[in-house]
Amino acid sequence: MNRSALNPLAMTPKRWLLALALAATAGTAAGRGDLTRHVDPFIGTDGTGHVTPAAMVPFGMVAPGPDNADRGWSYSSGYQYRAPRILGFSNTHISGAGIPELGDVLLMPAAGTRWTAQSTDFSAAPDKQTESARPGVYRVTLPGHGVRVELTTTQRVAVHRYTFTQAGRVQVLVDLQHGLLFGNGPRVTQATSNLDVARGELTGTTHAKNWVEREASFIVRFDRPIARVTPLPPREGDRAARYLLDFDLGTGHVLHARVALSTVDVDGARRNLAVDEAKPFDAVRAAADAQWQRLLSRIEIDADARFKTIFYSALYRTLLHPSDIADADGRVRGPTGQVMAAPGGVYYSTLSLWDTFRGVHPLFTLLVPERVPGFINTMLAHHRAQGYLPLWTAWGRETHTMIGNPALPVIADAVAKGFHRQGAGFDLQAALQAMVETSTLPRPNAPEWAQRSWDVYEQFGHIPLDKISNESVSKTLELGIGDDAVARVARAAGRLDVAERFARRAQGWRKLWDVQTQMMRGKDSAGRWREPFDPLVPTSPMNNPGDYTEANAWQYTLTPALHDPAGLVAQMGGAAAFEAWLDRFFSVQAPGDHKHLGQEALIGQYAHGNEPSHHIAYLYAWTASPEKGQALVRRIVRSFYGSGPDGIVGNDDCGQMSAWLVLSTLGLYPVVPASGTYVAGATLVRRATLMRADGTRLVIVPGRRPGVWLDGQRMDPKALPHAALLQARRLEVGPAR
């Protein structure tokens, strides 16, 4: 482009900013043959997907991005595509969750000196034509503020670049009170902050209570000295400072800011900043893009352009979390607030395990095996510090969200696939001990509602509805998944006594099978079924009393298949009866669409918008008609995944919705996540190539002959071994018949 075309003196402010946006877009997209061009970070940002378009690197600690609101279920990530205004740009986000958290250190720039200590509204309407995002970078023009905002990131440092329509004086709001709120707030309980105007530097620490109690230390460094500081008066409930910072750009138009955070202290944030302090914005952006290219290229597919966008955007979302929150020096603040050494220098948070044990973590064993020991060692460190394995963590702290013990099948899956023996690995005996203690002992410092009723569970073999406040069926069935995982790891560790005990516990689901209704049903301590009973009514903590968690009886009846599909088929009367049950499941209509109760993206009683249903289409593999499941998988992909901002129906849940799509595209799904095996579905593209860590490739193609063939050998489609996939060169997934 001709340099004179970008002369701001010859253009209106809006045309100047639009030209910058178009130039940036052209510079990053033209002539590119890599896979990042297929990724659209806006997919899932409109509606219930709760995805953030923030700039992120794989498993990164920071995530600078826009916030349209600071509270509400719809703004769990801070962003909705159709929201009319942007509050500012905070530097930590969780993508796809159902509860708001993080949103640390909000910045908002503007040209001129329009704001004073009396100003109350610093938001701006974005020019949506100029808003863009690619892996590792986000851009938008704010015409009313006279500025083009560009954000990129390293592992621990967010980099902001503001290009203003006018030279001279500009302002930046720095709001340390801001955060994404679960309730009404205020979230900050105490805070400190210090300014060094000559160095253009702001440091401090906020202590917050929201979904979790946590502290975040930070350093914000601008590339100009601060010309003037205007503290804003505190609002009711404020405990952290808000500043208006003025800068004099002279004849320039650009201001840079770098933000580093730490779970530990300001010194940790400062050291994190020092690692990448010297890298200019475009070098950081290019490095982020290169990281994404390396990981995305581990799967190559042959498909049309639209499906490539859907697929690679989903693959991108599976790699955003968990977030490695360890400082550059290896320190991290653990689940009870203590500072500890991160095992191997990494410590993963944003562990949405009730969601991700199903598909995300099994996908990681195929896609990023080098990270799997770090995930497990993080969980074991969490256990050592807290006394039990994690459930759902944010910023290293336990939220106690969701039911069961979902870390257990993740560990069992890693053991089944031999990760404890690979490289640094992890300690098998320590893992088993953590699993047993998590499944038997009271939980120190956990709230009452987060405890597990072990004595009741052991006494009755299930959780009677009169011995617990709510969700008795779901809690029994989810504990069974964990019990089975303990039994598997105990066998691998040679502890057959432990294996026998937990294998027996894992069969507690049979006590809740009601032959008359053909459902898993709530039962009290005297053996009486809950009355009245309507299998179509979903329940959750939002509308209890009830026996199910974000689901109904239809959906939870199939939960035992996550660890004992053959046993469930037999309990239901055999393959023919099981097939008839599934046929009814996919055809019985729901009385309404209750997205807050997990009833979203419906096919009959199948609710793809929430995780309890994700394995169910694959259960036709245990019938005489597996082609029905293959057809349903195709229908789910067509119906509930798109290439627009509304392309995800239901919370992405830190990548689980996306992992389902990635795995189903390959023709594989881990119905029994702890088993180290996959169920074959139907490969949805002309060809998929999985690049393994050792440089070899597994080519996956739709087969022309019935069945599943691995290097020419016919395989059981219900149990494709992970170890065999690692050795094979060609997988053919043929039609069911």
Side-chain angles (χ1 to χ4, degrees):
M1 180 177 289
N2 190 314
R3 286 181 178 269
S4 63
L6 290 179
N7 180 5
L9 301 179
M11 306 176 72
T12 66
K14 185 170 182 178
R15 287 187 62 198
W16 155 238
L17 291 167
L18 179 60
L20 275 175
L22 294 174
T25 302
T28 57
R32 293 267 296 275
D34 61 16
L35 297 175
T36 57
R37 65 192 175 96
H38 296 300
V39 175
D40 183 354
F42 289 109
I43 294 176
T45 61
D46 185 7
T48 58
H50 295 181
V51 170
T52 176
M56 302 175 76
V57 295
F59 310 106
M61 180 181 187
V62 295
D67 292 342
N68 305 121
D70 66 354
R71 68 196 67 200
W73 182 77
S74 293
Y75 292 92
S76 295
S77 76
Y79 184 86
Q80 281 285 337
Y81 186 79
R82 289 183 285 180
R85 300 188 72 78
I86 292 176
L87 299 180
F89 305 89
S90 65
N91 292 276
T92 55
H93 292 89
I94 295 175
S95 187
I99 294 178
E101 184 54 276
L102 306 187
D104 295 294
V105 189
L106 180 134
L107 279 66
M108 175 58 104
T113 54
R114 66 192 67 203
W115 294 326
T116 69
Q118 287 71 48
S119 299
T120 58
D121 184 2
F122 304 93
S123 66
D127 181 349
K128 295 298 284 188
Q129 293 184 22
T130 68
E131 187 178 40
S132 66
R134 284 289 181 267
V137 65
Y138 169 88
R139 299 180 172 100
V140 70
T141 295
L142 307 177
H145 283 20
V147 64
R148 171 76 170 165
V149 175
E150 299 173 279
L151 309 173
T152 190
T153 187
T154 69
Q155 168 67 30
R156 299 179 181 88
V157 181
V159 185
H160 298 226
R161 180 165 67 186
Y162 309 139
T163 305
F164 299 92
T165 55
Q166 65 184 60
R169 206 79 165 202
V170 300
Q171 292 179 305
V172 177
L173 166 72
V174 181
D175 186 345
L176 304 178
Q177 183 70 35
H178 174 85
L180 303 177
L181 295 170
F182 182 25
N184 291 323
R187 73 180 188 102
V188 179
T189 57
Q190 59 177 306
T192 59
S193 57
N194 299 283
L195 280 160
D196 185 332
V197 295
R199 298 185 66 183
E201 185 176 288
L202 172 66
T203 59
T205 299
T206 59
H207 296 255
K209 184 176 182 180
N210 186 44
W211 194 9
V212 294
E213 291 190 40
R214 66 189 183 93
E215 56 190 270
S217 298
F218 59 86
I219 178 170
V220 183
R221 182 173 294 162
F222 297 92
D223 65 347
R224 303 269 184 153
I226 301 169
R228 183 175 67 181
V229 178
T230 304
L232 294 175
R235 301 158 300 191
E236 183 179 359
D238 278 4
R239 295 290 184 272
R242 296 181 301 140
Y243 298 104
L244 288 179
L245 306 181
D246 286 27
F247 299 87
D248 189 349
L249 302 185
T251 60
H253 290 263
V254 179
L255 177 69
H256 290 88
R258 295 172 187 268
V259 183
L261 289 106
S262 168
T263 66
V264 178
D265 53 28
V266 170
D267 286 342
R270 191 180 297 277
R271 282 189 285 268
N272 290 343
L273 177 63
V275 173
D276 298 303
E277 186 175 7
K279 296 178 182 176
F281 183 95
D282 288 325
V284 172
R285 179 200 55 77
D289 184 89
Q291 286 188 59
W292 282 113
Q293 170 62 18
R294 284 194 294 272
L295 283 194
L296 295 174
S297 65
R298 293 189 179 184
I299 302 179
E300 294 183 0
I301 63 168
D302 182 3
D304 61 46
R306 179 178 180 274
F307 192 77
K308 281 187 175 181
T309 295
I310 294 171
F311 177 85
Y312 283 108
S313 299
L315 183 56
Y316 161 82
R317 292 189 299 270
T318 67
L319 300 167
L320 296 175
H321 300 303
S323 307
D324 178 6
I325 61 169
D327 284 349
D329 61 7
R331 296 183 304 158
V332 69
R333 193 174 295 277
T336 58
Q338 77 282 33
V339 177
M340 59 189 195
V346 297
Y347 193 87
Y348 291 97
S349 188
T350 323
L351 287 166
S352 181
L353 291 167
W354 184 82
D355 309 292
T356 58
F357 87 84
R358 304 163 195 269
V360 173
H361 281 277
L363 178 61
F364 286 159
T365 67
L366 283 170
L367 192 62
V368 286
E370 69 276 13
R371 289 191 181 259
V372 172
F375 297 145
I376 307 304
N377 281 318
T378 291
M379 296 179 195
L380 298 182
H382 185 103
H383 165 263
R384 288 192 297 272
Q386 184 170 262
Y388 49 98
L389 289 163
L391 287 163
W392 211 125
T393 63
W395 205 244
R397 303 299 183 94
E398 181 59 71
T399 70
H400 299 108
T401 299
M402 303 311 293
I403 62 173
N405 290 318
L408 305 186
V410 176
I411 296 172
D413 180 49
V415 170
K417 294 170 181 174
F419 281 95
H420 57 296
R421 297 190 298 267
Q422 299 175 15
F426 57 91
D427 187 322
L428 176 60
Q429 296 297 334
L432 177 59
Q433 179 181 348
M435 296 172 79
V436 171
E437 291 180 1
T438 298
S439 303
T440 57
L441 298 181
R443 305 198 159 178
N445 304 313
E448 180 63 29
W449 52 265
Q451 296 290 344
R452 300 295 186 257
S453 304
W454 300 126
D455 54 344
V456 173
Y457 184 53
E458 294 269 13
Q459 178 184 354
F460 293 94
H462 68 98
I463 299 178
L465 62 89
D466 57 330
K467 297 293 185 179
I468 195 170
S469 59
N470 287 295
E471 303 166 82
S472 64
V473 173
S474 293
K475 288 177 178 178
T476 297
L477 301 181
E478 297 272 356
L479 289 177
I481 299 169
D483 290 340
D484 171 78
V486 178
R488 292 173 186 269
V489 173
R491 290 189 200 101
R495 291 296 306 277
L496 299 185
D497 56 330
V498 177
E500 182 180 351
R501 174 189 177 189
F502 281 90
R504 185 169 57 251
R505 280 191 8 169
Q507 294 299 304
W509 62 268
R510 296 180 184 275
K511 294 180 178 292
L512 300 183
W513 171 250
D514 178 14
V515 175
Q516 182 177 355
T517 62
Q518 297 281 290
M519 298 285 171
M520 298 293 171
R521 187 173 172 187
K523 180 186 288 186
D524 68 15
S525 56
R528 296 175 297 229
W529 300 114
R530 181 186 287 277
E531 295 288 356
F533 173 66
D534 186 343
L536 291 172
V537 175
T539 63
S540 83
M542 296 183 64
N543 73 330
N544 277 322
D547 295 319
Y548 308 97
T549 302
E550 298 181 6
N552 63 23
W554 277 99
Q555 291 142 14
Y556 256 100
T557 291
L558 294 167
T559 296
L562 288 166
H563 63 93
D564 188 11
L568 181 62
V569 171
Q571 187 76 46
M572 286 186 165
F578 186 60
E579 180 179 345
W581 198 100
L582 288 173
D583 291 345
R584 291 194 301 275
F585 174 84
F586 282 102
S587 59
V588 172
Q589 295 302 304
D593 192 2
H594 303 285
K595 64 183 180 181
H596 296 288
L597 301 178
Q599 306 303 290
E600 194 172 15
L602 296 169
I603 301 175
Q605 289 307 294
Y606 180 86
H608 192 68
N610 206 23
E611 280 67 26
S613 289
H614 275 194
H615 64 295
I616 296 175
Y618 288 90
L619 296 183
Y620 275 105
W622 277 265
T623 76
S625 303
E627 71 278 1
K628 292 181 179 179
Q630 295 175 357
L632 281 162
V633 168
R634 294 187 182 96
R635 180 179 173 184
I636 293 164
V637 172
R638 288 194 307 269
S639 301
F640 306 129
Y641 293 90
S643 56
D646 61 350
I648 302 176
V649 184
N651 297 169
D652 192 43
D653 284 317
C654 299
Q656 171 57 27
M657 290 283 287
S658 299
W660 188 96
L661 184 279
V662 171
L663 287 159
S664 293
T665 297
L666 300 179
L668 303 170
Y669 194 76
V671 169
V672 183
S675 68
T677 66
Y678 307 87
V679 174
T683 303
L684 304 182
V685 291
R686 293 182 287 267
R687 182 187 186 96
T689 304
L690 179 65
M691 309 293 184
R692 290 184 289 239
D694 62 359
T696 61
R697 302 182 179 191
L698 173 64
V699 176
I700 306 173
V701 294
R704 296 183 179 180
R705 52 185 171 176
V708 178
W709 302 80
L710 197 61
D711 285 346
Q713 180 180 354
R714 189 159 190 168
M715 306 294 291
D716 179 359
K718 300 189 297 300
L720 285 172
H722 178 83
L725 292 181
L726 295 185
Q727 300 299 319
R729 298 304 178 96
R730 184 177 180 87
L731 174 64
E732 299 177 41
V733 184
R737 301 206 173 282

